[in-house]
Amino acid sequence: MINLAMEASSFHRTNLKNQLITNTYKYNKMDTEEFKQQISAYAEWKSDLISSIQTYDEWLDDNEMADAEISLRLIDMLDALKSDHITIAFVAEVSSGKTELINSIFFADYKRRLLPSDAGRTTMCPTELMYDKKEDNPYIRLLPIETRLEDVSINEYKRSPSMWTRIDLDISSADSLAESLQEVTKVKMVPTAEARRLRLFDDWLHSNTGSDSNPPAEVEIPKWRHALISFPHPLLEQGLIVLDTPGLNALGSEPELTLNMLPNAQAVVFLLAADTGVTKSELDMWKNHIQPYRSARKKGLLVVLNKIDTMWDELKSDEAYRKSLSDQVRKTAQMLNVPNENVFPVSAQKALVAKIRDDAALLEKSGVPILQNTLMKDILPVKHAIIHDNVVADISGMVESSLDIIKNRLSRIDDQFQELQSLSGKNKDVIEHLLTKTREEQNVYLKNVESLQRSRRALSQNANAILNKLSPKSMDELVSLTRKEMSKSWTTAGMKKGMSMFFDSIRQSLTEASEQADKTHKLVHTIYRMFHEKHGFADIKPKTYTTRRYQQLFDLLYEEAEMFRSSPVTTMTEQSFVVKKFFITLVSQARNIFFNAYHDAEKWAKTVMSPLITQVRDHKKEIEKRLETLRKISESRETLKGKMSELEAARDTLNKQKDTLQQMLDVFNRPLTKDSSDEAA
């Protein structure tokens, strides 16, 4: 049998074109241990980043350059990094081998099936596998399915552990651990009326699937709505989260998956059966719940054709098998509109067997190592880029501002040193003249500081105008009005009009906030430029505030809202549930985007002038020291030598500070790996 892993790598490189290249292509084998090492490298990079931010915080304190707002910004960054994680989501219809693939990629070290993966249905609720650093003992937390009746999101429930059923895990026994994990497969029978209330039974769908006209008295539903599994697996300890989604209509019935969890995942793995390809229900799932949220990202969306072992046939020639597999990959790529190289034929079950038995040949043949290699190459650079955009760019800007201030101090010390050198041998009249000139400079400077205070008041008014556009109070008023209008509407058209009004109002507010921010930036730059040109301050480019990121997030959410509004299911669904679903998912997400935009604008308004204020304080102290020095020199020539020695010592200290800041910048701008820097380029 031809080595399948070699074949897979070859046809990925040549876009298939209906046949595979021969097995001369060799790939660099990627096993689970290498994957762990890559995750470890990412964790180490993030740890260095956290350490450098803490060092910078201490540096600000030591050099009297800290203020409350900057300290809060640094605390926010550290909290974000410490709670950061990498998420890989696995999505598929029922019985696709999705959980088996998770076992084979991440948990084969346990030398058995850790997660339940028997024939038929397995995972019955969305399940997050992670490591909870705040808890001493591993556990499963299970959210009862009845919580679907409440107007509360899963994320909100995560902040209330008492609402979950907890089962402690015994990690000393693989058998006991596997048995406990069976809980995520549990179902129960409930009256059909209760299933309707939980929105887990749809009369319209029932009548259109060829079923009997009368619905059954009882139906089977999942016992749990969501599961959190925490245990100390090496990958999970370093921040990996594996999201295992159930099949059937889980994505549609639990919209938080599509509106929050899937969009925030660094990689989404969509599984299909290799022998059947893309079914109608899978194509609907792809178009409605996956593709819209991954379209903004070029990487991180992988399609897996699982169970290729069902196509292994000793009665079929190798050439016939290769052509059959090639055709299936090509057809799948065409139907889903993805590149051929994003489709991976694998056998999850054979990969798990191979890892348990240490069978290298079977592991290669399973195709899973190539998938693992791609996951590693996709998720780490993507995550690195996200942190760079959200954290590194911000902290680097702060450090660069501090570095500019230190360089400016060095420049002024050099000027003062040269000035004192020129005074050697000068008579008292010359020194008095310089003293008078410095006093005049001080008076001009103080007038400009008064002008700065007026400019800051104008800046405050402009910043408040931005905040007013993004006010949480105005958002709450809009939410209340929308709920009122939708609830009293007697028609589906009226409800849809209310949804449209809500999103159009938010989009308008974000646009107006962006326009106001542009005006405010011009004022800020004018203030900075004045002090640079008149007093030689460092030419610092102040940080700008933009709503662009929030507008992009909102545009994606707007697309989902349009799909929700125009969906025939929405038209056929009971009005009260439509309103509840709209608010618990779409409105909740929009509110979060709006609040984050407001929070960032508020932080920006409080800190944008900090670098300039630091220089104003420096310049004031410097003029006062010069005046004091000139007075003492006028009285005693011995003072001149002492002051020159002080300046030399200060210069040495500043050069050390400059080197320290430069080292921090080197850490912040360090690529994750050589490969990741190539990816960024």
Side-chain angles (χ1 to χ4, degrees):
M1 189 74 66
I2 301 295
N3 184 310
L4 181 58
M6 288 183 176
E7 294 171 2
S9 182
S10 297
F11 68 64
H12 288 158
R13 299 291 182 180
T14 59
N15 289 330
L16 290 176
K17 295 184 179 178
N18 293 329
Q19 61 180 327
L20 303 176
I21 295 178
T22 58
N23 60 351
T24 56
Y25 179 81
K26 296 181 180 180
Y27 69 91
N28 183 22
K29 184 178 178 183
M30 171 68 190
D31 59 16
T32 305
E33 192 57 39
E34 284 185 84
F35 193 84
K36 291 178 184 176
Q37 291 171 3
Q38 293 296 329
I39 297 288
S40 295
Y42 170 78
E44 182 180 350
W45 171 81
K46 194 173 67 173
S47 177
D48 290 344
L49 187 58
I50 290 172
S51 178
S52 292
I53 293 175
Q54 291 170 332
T55 300
Y56 178 60
D57 190 25
E58 294 168 1
W59 184 92
L60 289 173
D61 284 335
D62 293 342
N63 293 279
E64 299 180 350
M65 292 174 65
D67 62 39
E69 297 303 330
I70 289 178
S71 296
L72 286 174
R73 278 175 67 189
L74 294 176
I75 289 171
D76 286 345
M77 289 180 197
L78 290 171
D79 287 345
L81 285 170
K82 289 175 182 177
S83 61
D84 165 72
H85 51 257
I86 296 172
T87 300
I88 303 177
F90 289 79
V91 180
E93 276 285 21
V94 70
S95 301
S96 62
K98 169 174 45 63
T99 307
E100 189 82 326
L101 183 60
I102 295 173
N103 279 323
S104 67
I105 292 179
F106 300 107
F107 307 118
D109 288 350
Y110 282 83
K111 297 301 180 182
R112 59 159 297 158
R113 285 188 177 93
L114 183 63
L115 302 177
S117 181
D118 297 325
R121 285 190 187 178
T122 52
T123 306
M124 292 302 296
C125 65
T127 302
E128 292 182 66
L129 296 104
M130 47 80 185
Y131 177 66
D132 187 346
K133 296 179 181 179
K134 298 177 182 178
E135 290 282 343
D136 294 331
N137 298 319
Y139 62 77
I140 306 179
R141 282 183 181 157
L142 300 146
L143 187 64
I145 194 67
E146 289 76 16
T147 58
R148 285 173 59 87
L149 297 173
E150 303 298 326
D151 204 6
V152 180
S153 67
I154 293 172
N155 268 340
E156 290 176 281
Y157 275 122
K158 286 179 180 179
R159 295 191 283 269
S160 303
S162 61
M163 299 299 297
W164 300 66
T165 296
R166 174 172 171 140
I167 300 174
D168 288 327
L169 298 176
D170 178 11
I171 60 173
S172 63
S173 166
D175 290 339
S176 173
L177 185 59
E179 183 180 350
S180 297
L181 294 177
Q182 286 286 335
E183 192 66 33
V184 300
T185 70
K186 296 292 180 65
V187 296
K188 63 181 180 179
M189 299 298 294
V190 299
T192 303
E194 183 178 349
R196 285 194 189 97
R197 288 199 308 128
L198 292 167
R199 308 314 303 176
L200 294 174
F201 182 85
D202 193 302
D203 291 279
W204 181 78
L205 289 176
H206 175 77
S207 63
N208 281 274
T209 54
S211 304
D212 296 336
S213 57
N214 295 321
E218 287 189 326
V219 294
E220 183 183 89
I221 66 170
K223 184 178 180 181
W224 308 108
R225 180 183 178 188
H226 199 83
L228 299 173
I229 302 177
S230 170
F231 65 96
H233 184 280
L235 289 174
L236 305 182
E237 285 179 336
Q238 292 170 2
L240 178 68
I241 290 180
V242 177
L243 176 61
D244 186 5
T245 63
L248 296 178
N249 294 318
L251 293 180
S253 63
E254 191 57 73
E256 209 167 336
L257 277 173
T258 54
L259 295 173
N260 187 8
M261 298 177 189
L262 291 185
N264 290 332
Q266 279 67 60
V268 173
V269 180
F270 186 58
L271 270 77
L272 307 165
D275 53 348
T276 59
V278 186
T279 66
K280 183 181 184 304
S281 62
E282 288 167 336
L283 186 59
D284 289 342
M285 182 188 292
W286 172 268
K287 289 181 177 179
N288 295 330
H289 301 300
I290 299 175
Q291 192 176 33
Y293 299 98
R294 308 302 300 177
S295 59
R297 297 181 184 174
K298 295 180 180 179
K299 292 181 177 290
L301 181 53
L302 310 179
V303 178
V304 170
L305 288 175
N306 192 24
K307 303 183 180 181
I308 58 171
D309 51 295
T310 61
M311 301 172 65
W312 297 349
D313 187 349
E314 294 182 0
L315 299 180
K316 183 184 292 186
S317 69
D318 291 340
E319 183 180 355
Y321 165 70
R322 290 197 305 270
K323 186 177 186 309
S324 176
L325 185 61
S326 171
D327 288 345
Q328 192 69 292
V329 170
R330 177 176 49 79
K331 291 175 183 176
T332 300
Q334 287 177 347
M335 289 190 70
L336 300 182
N337 192 27
V338 298
N340 288 345
E341 57 266 25
N342 278 25
V343 181
F344 297 82
V346 306
S347 172
Q349 190 267 341
K350 297 304 180 187
L352 181 60
V353 170
K355 289 184 178 183
I356 291 174
R357 297 177 179 173
D358 296 321
D359 187 336
L362 182 59
L363 181 61
E364 272 189 71
K365 188 176 178 181
S366 74
V368 167
I370 297 176
L371 175 62
Q372 288 182 203
N373 190 25
T374 303
L375 275 173
M376 181 272 294
K377 288 183 177 179
D378 274 5
I379 65 175
L380 294 180
V382 167
K383 190 62 178 178
H384 182 268
I386 291 171
I387 290 184
H388 188 278
D389 290 346
N390 295 344
V391 177
V392 175
D394 197 9
I395 186 65
S396 295
M398 295 171 68
V399 174
E400 285 170 355
S401 293
S402 297
L403 187 58
D404 285 338
I405 290 171
I406 294 300
K407 289 177 179 178
N408 198 54
R409 288 179 180 177
L410 277 168
S411 177
R412 291 184 182 279
I413 281 181
D414 288 339
D415 291 342
Q416 290 177 49
F417 191 83
Q418 292 176 11
E419 183 181 75
L420 293 181
Q421 274 187 323
S422 70
L423 292 178
S424 299
K426 300 292 183 181
N427 59 36
K428 190 172 182 178
D429 290 340
V430 172
I431 296 174
E432 288 292 337
H433 173 71
L434 190 56
L435 190 58
T436 301
K437 184 179 177 182
T438 304
R439 287 195 186 102
E440 291 173 353
E441 181 184 336
Q442 184 185 42
N443 290 332
V444 173
Y445 175 71
L446 291 175
K447 289 180 180 178
N448 283 327
V449 170
E450 291 177 7
S451 172
L452 172 63
Q453 299 304 326
R454 291 193 295 272
S455 297
R456 289 181 71 185
R457 287 192 289 271
L459 174 61
S460 178
Q461 292 174 354
N462 277 264
N464 285 335
I466 299 175
L467 295 175
N468 287 337
K469 299 294 183 184
L470 303 171
S471 166
K473 182 180 178 181
S474 64
M475 165 58 88
D476 290 341
E477 291 172 351
L478 177 61
V479 169
S480 178
L481 176 63
T482 304
R483 187 188 293 273
K484 181 179 177 181
E485 292 297 320
M486 288 180 64
S487 297
K488 74 178 185 181
S489 175
W490 289 93
T491 64
T492 302
M495 284 196 300
K496 291 183 176 182
K497 183 179 179 182
M499 297 177 199
S500 181
M501 177 202 73
F502 175 79
F503 278 93
D504 289 343
S505 296
I506 294 179
R507 174 170 278 173
Q508 181 64 25
S509 294
L510 287 171
T511 300
E512 291 175 356
S514 179
E515 293 171 352
Q516 183 62 46
D518 290 340
K519 296 177 183 177
T520 309
H521 294 153
K522 292 178 182 178
L523 175 59
V524 172
H525 283 281
T526 298
I527 297 171
Y528 270 80
R529 188 170 59 251
M530 180 189 75
F531 277 84
H532 168 64
E533 294 174 351
K534 291 190 175 182
H535 301 288
F537 280 21
D539 188 15
I540 294 175
K541 299 297 185 286
K543 180 178 172 61
T544 58
Y545 171 75
T546 175
T547 62
R548 183 173 62 252
R549 181 160 63 100
Y550 303 107
Q551 287 173 310
Q552 290 172 345
L553 290 172
F554 182 76
D555 286 344
L556 290 175
L557 188 62
Y558 191 90
E559 289 179 17
E560 172 64 15
E562 287 300 296
M563 290 169 56
F564 181 83
R565 288 198 318 122
S566 58
S567 168
V569 176
T570 299
T571 304
M572 301 294 296
T573 304
E574 179 188 344
Q575 178 177 321
S576 62
F577 178 71
V578 171
V579 173
K580 176 181 284 189
K581 185 176 178 181
F582 178 71
F583 277 88
I584 200 173
T585 56
L586 298 167
V587 172
S588 175
Q589 288 293 307
R591 197 175 186 281
N592 286 339
I593 293 171
F594 207 72
F595 174 78
N596 289 335
Y598 174 86
H599 186 56
D600 279 359
E602 188 177 42
K603 287 193 295 184
W604 173 81
K606 290 178 178 178
T607 59
V608 66
M609 297 297 289
S610 294
L612 183 60
I613 299 304
T614 299
Q615 292 189 86
V616 166
R617 287 200 305 261
D618 280 355
H619 200 63
K620 180 175 180 293
K621 290 178 182 178
E622 178 201 325
I623 291 178
E624 291 172 349
K625 283 184 178 179
R626 284 176 61 197
L627 287 170
E628 182 65 20
T629 298
L630 289 171
R631 278 195 296 268
K632 289 183 177 180
I633 291 173
S634 178
E635 297 168 1
S636 171
R637 291 290 174 161
E638 291 300 317
T639 303
L640 180 60
K641 293 181 180 179
K643 288 299 177 183
M644 291 178 69
S645 297
E646 287 179 16
L647 288 175
E648 287 181 325
R651 182 163 50 194
D652 290 342
T653 300
L654 287 171
N655 276 318
K656 290 177 182 177
Q657 292 175 355
K658 185 179 73 171
D659 292 343
T660 299
L661 291 171
Q662 188 59 58
Q663 289 168 7
M664 292 180 200
L665 281 177
D666 292 342
V667 172
F668 297 146
N669 295 320
R670 189 186 78 200
L672 181 60
T673 62
K674 183 179 185 299
D675 288 342
S676 68
S677 63
D678 292 343
E679 289 283 348

